[in-house]
Amino acid sequence: MNLQLFITFIFCFLIALLITPFVSRLAKKIGAVDKPNKRKVHREAKPRLGGLAIYVAFIAGLLILPIDFHTKTYIFSSTAVIVITGVLDDIYELSAKQKLLGQFLSAFILIYGGFVIDYITIPYFGLVELQLMTIPLTLFWMIGLINAINLIDGLDGLAGGVSTIALSTILIMAIGKDQLLVIMLCVIVMGSTLGFLLFNFYPAKIFMGDTGSQLLGLLIAVISISGFFKSVTFLSLFVPIMILGVPFLDTAFAIIRRLVNKQKWSQPDKSHLHHRLLAVGFSHPKTVLLIYGISIFFSILAFAFSLSTLEESFFLFLLLLLTIELIAEFLGLMGQKKPLTHFIYGVLAPHKKKS
């Protein structure tokens, strides 16, 4: 099985590697091009349908691995919906409501297929079935992850790299627990993403677009539900959140910022983490590498958290909170302002260009 997984990984990697140039030409032909504007970092038009190459490679891997027909059917159907939504958005720029409709439909297909968070185990209370909360909680998790990965897709190689780091961590944990389905899904998603990333690192030749970021968010949601939420304790619920600390924090700040500034939740801005790092003087590649480093640290912390006792988990959680504050302090100092309070203002306030 190990050999088969390795061969499948290489196969998906090569498929994505070979198909991406064709997808790039297709994107230019059909008008799926990301043009520069005041909110975006890049300064020249680039094709943005790269997620289609990831999807083709992923489906190829899904077909050759011994995953049961039921699972394949629902994953294929759900990802097809999210990819169609992404392709339409990359070409025509759909409204937030239209994108959300596609996200809900893809999530409901998976929920109907049994991919749900149905119970948790709470210390001193035992097994707690979620019952009526099963569907809302699962839906919240899937839609949240889709949009979290979508929101961090603002720099070359950022969303794909952060997703790969998260998947690598989940893969290591799944191997330890012998969760075969999670292992197989991680292998094909990682292979497909890395093949595409060779064209997406700075300076990118092609962007993954909403086709890719929404697909990766959905697949990570499926993988985490298949692993963490099937045989977990209450404390372990924090593990996938910690692994995906960067996109979750960025999404949380974005929501708070837009509420404070009385903006629509769907209104884009230029105050995400990567924007703030660029604003304080980091170059494009260094910003991406720094966020990779933060993601790796969160993943290591999550891995230690998964192996810890109840008492140890408490201290690791405090370390996580301290890390978040230190990042805030660091960015505040780099911006030559008072730490923390001014950083929070910078996160919440609309981005202002320097005169």
Side-chain angles (χ1 to χ4, degrees):
M1 189 62 191
N2 290 339
L3 179 60
Q4 185 179 13
L5 287 170
F6 178 73
I7 292 172
T8 303
F9 175 85
I10 298 299
F11 176 71
C12 292
F13 177 85
L14 292 175
I15 291 290
L17 189 67
L18 294 172
I19 287 181
T20 299
F22 293 99
V23 171
S24 179
R25 289 196 285 271
L26 173 65
K28 292 175 183 177
K29 182 177 287 189
I30 64 178
V33 177
D34 200 339
K35 297 177 181 178
N37 60 37
K38 62 182 181 180
R39 189 180 63 85
K40 295 176 181 178
V41 175
H42 63 282
R43 298 185 178 182
E44 59 184 63
K46 300 218 175 150
R48 60 178 178 187
L49 201 63
L52 193 58
I54 298 175
Y55 181 62
V56 172
F58 168 76
I59 293 300
L62 190 68
L63 291 174
I64 65 175
L65 281 180
I67 299 172
D68 68 271
F69 181 75
H70 174 274
T71 300
K72 284 183 178 180
T73 300
Y74 283 100
I75 290 178
F76 174 79
S77 302
S78 176
T79 53
V81 171
I82 204 70
V83 166
I84 290 170
T85 303
V87 169
L88 290 174
D89 185 55
D90 286 336
I91 299 172
Y92 303 109
E93 296 191 5
L94 302 178
S95 68
K97 290 181 180 179
Q98 289 171 326
K99 286 198 290 186
L100 198 58
L101 178 62
Q103 293 171 7
F104 268 95
L105 181 56
S106 62
F108 272 118
I109 291 171
L110 287 169
I111 289 170
Y112 186 77
F115 292 89
V116 294
I117 306 168
D118 45 14
Y119 66 86
I120 58 174
T121 304
I122 301 178
Y124 311 114
F125 289 93
L127 187 70
V128 177
E129 294 185 5
L130 296 173
Q131 297 178 350
L132 294 177
M133 289 300 297
T134 292
I135 292 178
L137 185 59
T138 304
L139 196 60
F140 177 79
W141 179 254
M142 289 183 179
I143 301 298
L145 259 178
I146 290 170
N147 286 288
I149 300 299
N150 184 242
L151 281 175
I152 64 166
D153 185 28
L155 296 180
D156 300 355
L158 184 56
V162 169
S163 296
T164 301
I165 291 168
L167 287 166
S168 301
T169 310
I170 295 172
L171 175 62
I172 293 170
M173 293 183 181
I175 291 172
K177 296 179 180 179
D178 200 26
Q179 295 174 326
L180 187 56
L181 175 61
V182 176
I183 293 169
M184 290 190 288
L185 290 175
C186 281
V187 165
I188 57 179
V189 178
M190 287 171 61
S192 304
T193 305
L194 287 171
F196 165 76
L197 273 176
L198 291 184
F199 297 91
N200 188 232
F201 285 123
Y202 182 83
K205 296 179 177 65
I206 183 173
F207 300 146
M208 68 168 59
D210 272 24
T211 306
S213 60
Q214 291 190 123
L215 174 64
L216 286 178
L218 180 66
L219 288 173
I220 294 173
V222 171
I223 290 168
S224 59
I225 287 172
S226 301
F228 293 111
F229 296 112
K230 287 303 177 186
S231 57
V232 299
T233 64
F234 176 72
L235 290 174
S236 297
L237 293 174
F238 292 104
V239 173
I241 297 173
M242 292 167 72
I243 291 173
L244 294 155
V246 169
F248 273 127
L249 283 173
D250 199 40
T251 302
F253 276 130
I255 292 171
I256 295 169
R257 181 170 62 247
R258 290 164 193 176
L259 287 173
V260 168
N261 292 299
K262 298 179 181 179
Q263 298 173 323
K264 291 183 180 179
W265 65 270
S266 58
Q267 183 176 335
D269 58 31
K270 204 170 181 179
S271 294
H272 292 288
L273 175 61
H274 52 275
H275 291 130
R276 303 307 300 166
L277 288 169
L278 289 170
V280 298
F282 285 98
S283 66
H284 191 133
K286 286 182 179 178
T287 296
V288 173
L289 290 175
L290 179 57
I291 296 176
Y292 282 178
I294 296 170
S295 297
I296 291 170
F297 177 77
F298 279 149
S299 290
I300 293 171
L301 202 60
F303 185 74
F305 193 88
S306 69
L307 300 175
S308 64
T309 63
L310 184 61
E311 293 76 15
E312 291 168 342
S313 297
F314 175 74
F315 289 106
L316 285 171
F317 188 71
L318 289 180
L319 178 59
L320 175 65
L321 295 178
L322 177 62
T323 302
I324 293 169
E325 181 172 341
L326 286 174
I327 293 171
E329 296 278 3
F330 173 73
L331 289 175
L333 288 169
M334 288 298 293
Q336 297 181 350
K337 297 176 180 179
K338 293 179 182 179
L340 196 55
T341 53
H342 281 266
F343 167 73
I344 292 173
Y345 173 77
V347 170
L348 297 180
H351 181 78
K352 294 181 180 179
K353 288 185 176 180
K354 294 181 180 178
S355 55

